[in-house]
Amino acid sequence: MRRMNVVNRKQALKVVKELDAFPKVLDDCKETTASGGGVSILVFVFIFILIISEIIYQSTTSLKFDYQVDTGFDGKLKINIDLTVAMRCGLIGADALDATGQDTHGFGELSMDDTYFELTPKQLEYFQIVQEVNEYLRSEYHALQDLMWLSTGIISSYRRGMPKREVESNKQPDACRVHGSLEVNKVAGNFHITAGKSIPVFPRGHAHISMMVHESEYNFSHRIEKFSFGDSVNGIVNPLDGEEQITTDSEYCYPQCIDYHLFQYFMKVVPTEVRTYRAGNVNTYQYAVTERNRTINHSQGSHGIPGIFIKYDLNALKIRIREQHQPFLQFLVRLCGIVGGVFAVSGMLHNWTGTVVDIVCCRYGIGTKAQHSKEPSPTMSLTETNQDVITGPSLIPRDNS
Ligand SMILES: *[C@@H]1O[C@H](CO)[C@@H](O)[C@H](O)[C@H]1NC(C)=O
Ligand SMILES: *[C@@H]1O[C@H](CO)[C@@H](O)[C@H](O)[C@H]1NC(C)=O
Ligand SMILES: *[C@@H]1O[C@H](CO)[C@@H](O)[C@H](O)[C@H]1NC(C)=O
Ligand SMILES: *[C@@H]1O[C@H](CO)[C@@H](O)[C@H](O)[C@H]1NC(C)=O
């Protein structure tokens, strides 16, 4: 029994030995060459550079986007508004209506402050920065996610908001700043500013009483400082921020200018969930917007109510943005690939160049060598072949040896 065991064990050991992928070669049988050494140094440097770049790549993160049906069906939607209309506050009413037909006073109240439409130099500078940022985002749309969460440079001055007026004017205020947040149902709806305060109308909706507003007082030129949905997030630039529309005097200015203008904005709101290291966990909304405007003139067949109408609808798909590190296992695999691959390929290249050099030398090369190979002595040929097998072609011409 015991002898059987011993025999078995010996056999197993033999099999394992045969599987050895790292056979030991006697040092006497190895030959090192100057060319091989040079190539090895190059290879080590190359591998080092590749490994460094791989580590740098590993330490960066990438953004991953995917889509999901928006499953939050009981939600509320916050609308943040800050805009200025070129009419006094007493003349206009601002509120939201949505598809549920709910009483608008349930959504909250917006503040309305009398102000001046003209901007002071500092305010103008700020407003132009906002417009520039927006212009940049529109032309380089792909850069959105890089710029969106930044908190430095141009964005940080953007975050501070519209500066106060440096000098108080003693003129009558000619404009109205409408600002604040409304909490509406998460369904399609519209936000509008038209002439006259609104009164609720049975059974649903409301009406704006515009009888008291004189024709010549209509002017829906406006400037939007901020229009966003959801909680405010630092660094997000919304498409409407920096929007400015100024109606010019129409040709029908006699005896009085009548400026019935309708501005419409159509929006698709896209819920966005952001999970990044810099911005943290943020649930917010982005939107795409289309702008239309026209002059109302019933005798010309252009009907409607003068005012600013912002219609929004919600997208059914939610975008998820996540910042991710490269997987660590892949990093290991790539490292092994680099080291092994560079060694193997450089060895092959070394071998081939050696072979090519050999062929060139034999063909066109030095006569002594050719003679040697024509009539070799038996011992010579033996050593020659031996050397060939072990060292491979070397870059040093044979006849020197
Ligand atoms: C109205 O729309 C046109 C083009 O659609 C645009 O050029 C213009 O600036 C807009 N605003 C006003 C006030 O006309
Ligand atoms: C509307 O108001 C703006 C700002 O005060 C002004 O520049 C513009 O000329 C006005 N439009 C008309 C038609 O009066
Ligand atoms: C509408 O257009 C007619 C001419 O087609 C003009 O006489 C009239 O003043 C315009 N009305 C307004 C409110 O611009
Ligand atoms: C090159 O590789 C071939 C195939 O492995 C081998 O037979 C030959 O001896 C090598 N040549 C040198 C110069 O190492």
Side-chain angles (χ1 to χ4, degrees):
M1 221 19 204
R2 193 178 282 171
R3 258 183 60 190
M4 278 281 275
N5 261 348
V6 171
V7 171
N8 273 351
R9 218 184 294 159
K10 269 190 181 164
Q11 253 169 4
L13 200 62
K14 204 177 144 203
V15 169
V16 172
K17 267 186 178 174
E18 271 169 11
L19 285 180
D20 187 1
F22 312 102
K24 311 292 171 295
V25 179
L26 287 182
D27 277 351
D28 296 347
C29 302
K30 291 185 197 161
E31 184 157 333
T32 52
T33 60
S35 68
V39 170
S40 301
I41 290 174
L42 282 186
V43 165
F44 285 135
V45 171
F46 191 51
I47 289 179
F48 183 71
I49 293 171
L50 284 184
I51 287 179
I52 295 289
S53 77
E54 194 59 38
I55 288 173
I56 292 172
Y57 175 67
Q58 177 70 19
S59 63
T60 59
T61 54
S62 59
L63 291 175
K64 189 163 172 270
F65 294 80
D66 58 23
Y67 312 94
Q68 206 182 43
V69 172
D70 188 10
T71 48
F73 52 77
D74 55 351
K76 288 273 184 184
L77 178 64
K78 207 163 115 189
I79 310 181
N80 310 301
I81 297 153
D82 190 348
L83 54 80
T84 306
V85 184
M87 286 173 80
R88 276 180 290 116
C89 288
L91 302 176
I92 56 172
D95 36 20
L97 272 181
D98 69 18
T100 63
Q102 186 191 330
D103 179 22
T104 52
H105 296 289
F107 298 144
E109 285 287 331
L110 290 173
S111 321
M112 295 173 109
D113 303 333
D114 276 317
T115 179
Y116 305 94
F117 197 71
E118 205 177 331
L119 294 174
T120 60
K122 268 209 178 127
Q123 289 181 320
L124 193 63
E125 191 187 340
Y126 167 80
F127 201 70
Q128 276 164 357
I129 289 180
V130 175
Q131 283 179 326
E132 260 169 46
V133 170
N134 232 319
E135 190 62 33
Y136 175 73
L137 282 185
R138 267 181 229 174
S139 56
E140 310 261 331
Y141 189 71
H142 53 272
L144 176 71
Q145 64 274 11
D146 298 333
L147 200 65
M148 201 160 68
W149 318 108
L150 280 189
S151 52
T152 52
I154 200 165
I155 298 286
S156 73
S157 71
Y158 169 73
R159 269 165 54 189
R160 264 180 264 127
M162 181 69 101
K164 290 244 175 320
R165 296 185 79 84
E166 302 105 271
V167 278
E168 285 303 325
S169 170
N170 47 10
K171 277 191 300 182
Q172 277 271 13
D174 60 353
C176 183
R177 174 171 174 225
V178 181
H179 60 114
S181 297
L182 294 177
E183 193 129 313
V184 299
N185 299 306
K186 214 171 145 187
V187 294
N190 76 78
F191 168 78
H192 54 262
I193 297 178
T194 58
K197 299 288 172 203
S198 71
I199 52 160
V201 171
F202 191 75
R204 51 176 283 185
H206 65 247
H208 287 263
I209 307 301
S210 58
M211 267 103 78
M212 268 87 96
V213 183
H214 192 267
E215 298 175 318
S216 63
E217 288 175 311
Y218 279 81
N219 183 344
F220 282 104
S221 301
H222 60 280
R223 192 183 287 128
I224 301 179
E225 273 124 63
K226 192 157 205 65
F227 196 100
S228 67
F229 294 90
D231 291 332
S232 71
V233 178
N234 287 338
I236 286 198
V237 182
N238 294 288
L240 270 190
D241 299 356
E243 173 81 0
E244 187 178 47
Q245 293 281 356
I246 294 179
T247 56
T248 46
D249 291 343
S250 59
E251 56 262 47
Y252 318 113
C253 247
Y254 307 100
Q256 266 169 332
C257 286
I258 299 174
D259 184 26
Y260 285 165
H261 219 91
L262 168 65
F263 295 94
Q264 289 171 307
Y265 296 94
F266 301 92
M267 286 184 180
K268 272 281 183 195
V269 184
V270 185
T272 309
E273 184 185 291
V274 181
R275 303 278 178 271
T276 63
Y277 298 108
R278 247 177 301 168
N281 292 353
V282 175
N283 294 319
T284 183
Y285 298 87
Q286 306 178 74
Y287 58 83
V289 61
T290 310
E291 191 267 328
R292 302 300 308 153
N293 73 67
R294 63 188 157 87
T295 308
I296 304 293
N297 188 334
H298 295 289
S299 61
Q300 282 184 338
S302 172
H303 302 291
I305 305 167
I308 303 164
F309 293 82
I310 300 176
K311 288 192 170 193
Y312 57 86
D313 198 356
L314 279 132
N315 201 336
L317 287 181
K318 174 162 79 178
I319 296 183
R320 297 198 302 168
I321 306 175
R322 275 172 297 161
E323 192 174 2
Q324 284 182 331
H325 277 291
Q326 325 298 334
F328 188 69
L329 266 184
Q330 277 187 22
F331 173 62
L332 286 186
V333 169
R334 280 198 305 267
L335 274 193
C336 295
I338 286 175
V339 176
V342 171
F343 261 121
V345 171
S346 62
M348 274 151 70
L349 285 180
H350 187 213
N351 180 317
W352 291 338
T353 41
T355 314
V356 169
V357 167
D358 265 6
I359 291 171
V360 171
C361 287
C362 294
R363 277 273 165 82
Y364 313 102
I366 309 92
T368 49
K369 167 129 203 243
Q371 270 171 11
H372 266 297
S373 45
K374 257 181 205 157
E375 333 157 18
S377 68
T379 44
M380 262 302 261
S381 84
L382 188 62
T383 48
E384 281 257 339
T385 33
N386 262 350
Q387 213 178 24
D388 252 313
V389 168
I390 295 159
T391 65
S394 78
L395 289 172
I396 304 163
R398 282 281 162 67
D399 36 354
N400 283 0
S401 57

